[in-house]
Amino acid sequence: MTSTYDHRALEAKWQARWQETGLDEVDLVGARKPYYNLMMFPYPSAEGLHVGNMFAFSGADAHGRFERMRGFDVFEPIGFDAFGIHSENFALKVGRHPRELIATNVTRFREQLMRLGAQFDWSKTVDTTDPAYYRWTQWLFLTLWKGGFAYRARRNVKWCPQDLTVLADEQVLADGTCERCGAQVTERELEQWFLRITAFTERLLANLDGLDWSENTKLLQRHWIGRSQGALIDFPIEGKAPLRVFSTRPDTIFGATFMVLAPDHQRTLELTAPAVQATVAEFIEEAARRRISGQRGDESSTQGVALGSDAINPLTGKPIPIFPSDYVLSGYGTGAIMAVPAHDQRDHSFALQHHLPEIEVVSGNDSPGPHGGTGALINSAQFNGLKAPEPAREVITAALVEAGFGQAHITYKLRDWGISRQRYWGCPIPAIHCPTCGVVPVPEKDLPVLLPYIEDFRPLGTGESPLARDPEFFRTTCPQCGGDARRDTDVSDTFLDSSWYYLRYPSADRDDVPFDPALTRKWLPVTYYDGGNEHAVLHLLYSRFVTMALEQLGYLDFDEPFTQFRAHGMIVMGGAKMSKSRGNVVVPDEYIARFGADAFRLYLLYLGPYPETLNFVDTGINGPHRFIIQVLRLLDQVEAESMATPEPANLARARHRCIRQVTVDTPERKYNTAIAAMMIFVKRLREHDGPVPKAALETLALLLAPYCPHLAEEIWERLGGAYSVHQQPWPDADESLIEDDEVVVVICINGKKRDQILVPAGTDAETLEHSALALPRIQQWLEGRKPERIFVIPDRQVNLVLPG
RNA sequence: GCCAGCAUGGCGGAAUGGCAGACGCGGCGGUCUCAAAAACCGUUGAGCGCAAGCUCGUGUGGGUUCGACUCCCACUGCUGGCACCA
């Protein structure tokens, strides 16, 4: 054997072998220790897999391979999340049909993924655009609908008046313009489908405590759900219904000197005095314009006009004026607030602008002016002296309840999930609109509702999906009355496709059920989910919701889909995200072609801690590549030996140290330090003069298996190991061989290193102290002074502390 | 504005409160070569010194400790999330 490293041949050889032998196809039925190793499936863009994907898959695959060698039956599927507005927009741009485009992209992705050498089970894969998949996405929708989790409602969508198309929120730039044409975006009200995720708000929040997820991910979800505890308070209005507000600080009600309504609050006009009708109407109109264009800002938050009518502060009995202003939103709480300018920054700014009085009701704060309000109540009648926020909040809420002015209440930021998309490239919503029966579900036997191939998939300009252009698609008969009816022409949000794909994988080859009950019981919930934190909220939250709903409807016997979730980091270049416009995109194919998948995987994982944002450095791959060549050279040496070489103690120590480090670091996802440990071991072997023991290379093959699956397999085979290295048990470190016989103990004076001694490991403190004091250099530094105190840390350090 | 996280050589990054900079990249010097590449060997935080060695050094300022990259307080900067959420 030569030591030239032909990674192409080597990797092709093993990939073919794995495929022929079905090494990575798990016996889902017979598996004894199921381990579902899931990673977020990619969106097959036209650019191909990027470095970030490769990084994530390398890490997740290393994890899966490690668990496999630890004795688990690891199921590691992959698929394609191929519907969506990105494909559609790209297709529009290049003038090709998304169906052809996606087919090409998927093929390319598949090849790239194959070349990475991950242990994907390709016999169970999904493509969300395949009718065999989206048939069940439609089933899911119908099931949720029948279960009471889907409803229709009117809601505003973003609309570009120039492109004549509905936009996704993220296609609207911060200044309210369209990301594609730059026109000012407006809104349109359309009737759409919603999924009742708020049915599970409390559970989605409470369950988080028990989930083994990356802390940051849980935190993002908590914030998104946004639970606020407070009270609903009614402010009476003479001759009219009272005005209801939500406040988290009912204890500050004595400081409420005015009220603010969202400009689009239902009662704004009703509460407007005749004299100012015109002014208020104008203000409301302007505010609407600001809201739609996203141009609400610091200036507009102090703008407002008095409605000319007063509300009564229920506890003081005093009339206070009412204003509409941008800084109160109609969509949160009741869309109205009691303003407490002495204790709220926004209310304070507004009060300054409009010369409204401030009443301080919480004292005991060091800083004057508006503050959060922690202290004791003042100016609050019989409540003076109570500590705020608690127990004042509780006491005043009780008083309000007693007097019939309020009730304790909790609000959330979480909203129901709007899933209608007025676009083409998505899963058709299986609903039929009948003039007599109303909205009726497509019968399950008629699924899938196929997405038709339409030549002209450009946006229609009416606010409807391009599917509304295809009568053959939408003309149908009502399943209930048989009369003429029209299909829903909207498609569903891609997050619906991905909200259940993990349920599908084990049953991907079944066309009779979305997910087989027995397989599901055996393999789910997912053991380990690896993914980017950019999906921390939406995808993960939607998946949790779907799981909860299906559990409630009796389809699942668990209510959380992912037992363990770990977020991985990102790869950036020069501190910036890779993007075409920056011209800093690294194409992984070139690296793999030149250095091989093993070297590339090794390099990506060696960059730094897997959960962090990491910097791609162009030349960095040379190190891992060299390392692989050095390992192969050692292998040549071992093979050249005719006789088995006994393993010297120092090499055994180095080997077991390496095992220990890799074994500890790998499951903690400290891939970078695990790889460093292997590099150190190889360095020791290279420094060693004399024959290299076979045991060294055997161990390396095993430890390298999760990182460089092809190389590991090659080494294992050449050493005569039985196929496959990936089915071998993970090696154990022998702690008794690891400890050094001798250790260096550092001698410090006042914490500064002054000398060191080599002593047998485990030398006791007293001996160390004596040896240290006897050292000539130390005596020189001591200049006859006696140490005041002496600290001895066995095997490490002696610190002599001089007086003064 | 609020909430997280991070800050260490020229670069990526290591360090249960106990020798800061492991490991790797890059640089420099050398071996091999007609030459170059590759590979291999040595060297590489800064300053001072002929040298033994000394001093300084983990964003800034304080603190706790015999001892702090590590713990505490304040600040600055960067990254991510939320953003008039009452």
Side-chain angles (χ1 to χ4, degrees):
Chain A
M1 270 288 175
T2 74
S3 62
T4 51
Y5 175 39
D6 183 355
H7 62 262
R8 260 173 230 263
L10 190 150
E11 291 177 358
K13 164 185 155 188
W14 287 111
Q15 284 166 18
R17 183 87 183 273
W18 295 335
Q19 211 169 344
E20 282 159 25
T21 56
L23 184 72
D24 302 323
E25 291 176 23
V26 184
D27 173 7
L28 293 178
V29 175
R32 283 180 305 112
K33 292 178 73 183
Y35 192 107
Y36 192 163
N37 187 47
L38 182 68
M39 52 201 87
M40 288 183 179
F41 63 165
Y43 152 69
S45 68
E47 287 83 31
L49 274 176
H50 55 84
V51 180
N53 295 132
M54 290 290 187
F55 170 68
F57 294 143
S58 298
D61 182 58
H63 178 86
R65 289 187 180 277
F66 177 74
E67 294 301 342
R68 182 183 196 171
M69 292 174 77
R70 302 270 272 183
F72 290 99
D73 297 298
V74 176
F75 176 46
E76 190 173 302
I78 194 78
F80 305 97
D81 189 15
F83 268 137
I85 201 163
H86 293 289
S87 311
E88 188 172 331
N89 286 343
F90 187 77
L92 284 168
K93 204 170 107 189
V94 300
R96 290 182 57 194
H97 197 277
R99 185 173 292 177
E100 286 138 30
L101 218 52
I102 283 296
T104 315
N105 294 353
V106 165
T107 308
R108 166 113 190 268
F109 263 63
R110 193 183 273 264
E111 281 167 12
Q112 286 182 299
L113 287 168
M114 296 256 189
R115 244 174 290 143
L116 187 64
Q119 56 174 353
F120 295 130
D121 183 345
W122 286 103
S123 70
K124 306 279 188 304
T125 186
V126 301
D127 170 348
T128 55
T129 64
D130 183 346
Y133 180 87
Y134 71 69
R135 165 191 181 175
W136 298 114
T137 304
Q138 292 171 344
W139 171 88
L140 173 67
F141 174 81
L142 293 177
T143 303
L144 293 173
W145 186 2
K146 287 171 198 162
F149 291 107
Y151 64 94
R152 284 174 71 72
R154 294 191 74 83
R155 193 207 220 177
N156 287 330
V157 292
K158 296 284 193 287
W159 173 259
C160 174
Q162 183 154 335
D163 290 350
L164 299 178
T165 178
V166 168
L167 298 176
D169 285 351
E170 63 268 23
Q171 292 180 291
V172 182
L173 302 179
D175 62 352
T177 59
C178 170
E179 77 170 359
R180 283 164 59 208
C181 71
Q184 269 299 323
V185 172
T186 61
E187 276 184 357
R188 272 196 159 199
E189 203 184 51
L190 298 174
E191 185 156 348
Q192 308 181 62
W193 285 102
F194 289 86
L195 296 182
R196 211 178 293 279
I197 188 171
T198 55
F200 295 113
T201 309
E202 267 302 325
R203 195 146 147 212
L204 287 166
L205 193 60
N207 279 10
L208 283 175
D209 295 332
L211 288 178
D212 179 10
W213 284 22
S214 295
E215 268 319 308
N216 187 247
T217 310
K218 294 206 274 188
L219 198 67
L220 292 174
Q221 291 216 349
R222 285 194 189 101
H223 285 213
W224 189 261
I225 293 168
R227 184 183 201 270
S228 293
Q229 199 158 4
L232 291 171
I233 308 170
D234 290 324
F235 282 65
I237 296 174
E238 184 135 6
K240 289 188 175 145
L243 183 59
R244 171 164 283 203
V245 303
F246 173 73
S247 174
T248 53
R249 293 302 301 273
D251 52 307
T252 62
I253 189 166
F254 283 85
T257 53
F258 59 101
M259 315 281 291
V260 184
L261 295 181
D264 51 334
H265 190 281
Q266 283 182 349
R267 301 188 59 198
T268 310
L269 283 174
E270 179 213 328
L271 298 176
T272 303
V276 289
Q277 206 97 45
T279 328
V280 170
E282 195 185 329
F283 179 82
I284 292 173
E285 219 167 287
E286 280 167 13
R289 217 169 298 136
R290 285 193 295 267
R291 182 174 57 81
I292 291 164
S293 64
Q295 285 182 330
R296 277 188 307 215
D298 291 342
E299 332 78 58
S300 74
S301 72
T302 56
Q303 289 172 25
V305 286
L307 295 183
S309 64
D310 291 336
I312 309 293
N313 186 322
L315 293 194
T316 64
K318 286 185 188 148
I320 54 176
I322 310 172
F323 296 80
S325 176
D326 284 10
Y327 82 94
V328 172
L329 308 175
S330 57
Y332 183 80
T334 65
I337 62 160
M338 62 175 206
V340 184
H343 301 289
D344 182 282
Q345 185 59 59
R346 297 154 303 181
D347 297 345
H348 175 71
S349 308
F350 192 88
L352 273 184
Q353 182 83 15
H354 299 271
H355 311 290
L356 295 158
E358 301 202 0
I359 302 171
E360 201 179 347
V361 290
V362 182
S363 76
N365 235 317
D366 302 341
S367 53
H371 51 67
T374 310
L377 289 190
I378 52 170
N379 297 323
S380 300
Q382 72 268 35
F383 303 104
N384 280 342
L386 278 177
K387 275 231 173 90
E390 299 299 348
R393 176 157 45 192
E394 210 175 307
V395 172
I396 290 190
T397 303
L400 285 165
V401 172
E402 177 109 350
F405 290 116
Q407 62 190 85
H409 186 75
I410 296 164
T411 15
Y412 302 90
K413 287 197 237 177
L414 184 68
R415 293 299 139 73
D416 276 339
W417 174 17
I419 58 151
S420 296
R421 297 290 179 270
Q422 297 73 29
R423 303 293 299 222
Y424 168 64
W425 191 238
C427 172
I429 295 176
I432 292 170
H433 302 267
C434 169
T436 35
C437 308
V439 191
V440 292
V442 171
E444 264 181 50
K445 64 172 172 54
D446 294 342
L447 297 183
V449 176
L450 287 172
L451 178 69
Y453 185 97
I454 55 173
E455 284 295 338
D456 186 3
F457 57 92
R458 285 173 306 158
L460 210 52
T462 60
E464 286 177 296
S465 152
L467 291 176
R469 178 177 272 141
D470 182 13
E472 278 198 44
F473 172 75
F474 66 71
R475 273 191 201 143
T476 187
T477 51
C478 171
Q480 267 176 37
C481 70
D484 284 347
R486 186 185 165 94
R487 285 189 193 282
D488 202 310
T489 50
D490 286 351
V491 296
S492 54
D493 181 7
T494 43
F495 278 118
L496 187 66
D497 306 331
S498 58
S499 70
W500 75 285
Y501 78 113
Y502 48 91
L503 295 171
R504 181 62 182 163
Y505 276 134
S507 311
D509 48 2
R510 293 280 294 273
D511 57 10
D512 55 335
V513 285
F515 43 90
D516 177 80
L519 281 179
T520 304
R521 214 169 299 123
K522 181 159 185 154
W523 286 91
L524 284 125
V526 168
T527 321
Y528 184 92
Y529 195 15
D530 180 289
N533 235 355
E534 68 272 17
H535 291 122
V537 176
L538 298 183
H539 163 63
L540 289 173
L541 207 56
Y542 294 152
S543 299
R544 295 179 63 212
F545 156 66
V546 164
T547 302
M548 282 180 192
L550 289 176
E551 189 246 9
Q552 185 156 316
L553 298 173
Y555 290 94
L556 298 173
D557 54 11
F558 53 89
D559 71 344
E560 285 289 345
F562 314 122
T563 307
Q564 230 185 133
F565 172 78
R566 291 291 180 275
H568 61 241
M570 238 182 12
I571 303 278
V572 299
M573 197 151 170
K577 266 189 195 172
M578 289 188 195
S579 72
K580 251 190 172 169
S581 55
R582 282 201 189 81
N584 64 349
V585 174
V586 176
V587 181
D589 304 43
E590 292 165 18
Y591 282 87
I592 292 184
R594 203 161 142 215
F595 298 98
D598 281 341
F600 195 54
R601 289 169 61 117
L602 204 57
Y603 165 61
L604 290 175
L605 297 180
Y606 185 62
L607 269 178
Y610 185 63
E612 311 277 314
T613 300
L614 302 172
N615 253 294
F616 192 90
V617 186
D618 217 22
T619 50
I621 195 168
N622 290 331
H625 185 244
R626 260 175 221 151
F627 168 76
I628 290 175
I629 291 169
Q630 289 167 354
V631 170
L632 284 171
R633 219 173 279 144
L634 289 170
L635 179 63
D636 289 342
Q637 287 180 40
V638 170
E639 284 183 314
E641 294 295 319
S642 49
M643 302 206 307
T645 314
E647 185 178 38
N650 63 328
L651 289 189
R653 186 180 305 128
R655 183 162 67 90
H656 283 276
R657 270 202 185 151
C658 182
I659 295 172
R660 180 172 66 182
Q661 191 76 44
V662 178
T663 307
V664 169
D665 288 349
T666 302
E668 287 179 13
R669 307 189 305 158
K670 294 179 182 171
Y671 303 131
N672 55 330
T673 48
I675 293 164
M678 291 189 272
M679 287 176 165
I680 292 169
F681 181 40
V682 165
K683 200 187 223 181
R684 297 284 163 274
L685 293 171
R686 277 153 45 78
E687 283 165 1
H688 175 72
D689 35 48
V692 178
K694 188 178 172 186
L697 269 289
E698 277 171 351
T699 297
L700 266 177
L702 296 168
L703 299 183
L704 276 169
Y707 297 92
C708 300
H710 314 84
L711 175 70
E713 199 77 275
E714 180 73 13
I715 300 170
W716 192 249
E717 181 190 56
R718 279 168 57 180
L719 291 174
Y723 179 80
S724 156
V725 72
H726 300 293
Q727 293 170 310
Q728 302 307 314
W730 189 256
D732 282 321
D734 185 340
E735 291 290 333
S736 71
L737 296 176
I738 285 179
E739 292 317 313
D740 268 316
D741 309 336
E742 290 186 308
V743 291
V744 172
V745 171
V746 174
I747 316 301
C748 301
I749 294 173
N750 290 335
K752 276 191 207 280
K753 180 187 170 180
R754 294 305 180 196
D755 205 350
Q756 59 180 49
I757 48 175
L758 191 65
V759 297
T763 302
D764 64 274
E766 208 177 324
T767 314
L768 283 175
E769 187 182 320
H770 283 301
S771 315
L773 288 169
L775 291 168
R777 277 180 48 77
I778 293 301
Q779 294 200 332
Q780 213 171 329
W781 275 100
L782 288 177
E783 294 169 328
R785 290 170 296 181
K786 255 200 132 84
E788 193 175 54
R789 298 170 73 184
I790 299 176
F791 293 84
V792 182
I793 297 92
D795 290 351
R796 287 204 181 261
Q797 192 187 67
V798 176
N799 193 13
L800 310 169
V801 183
L802 292 176

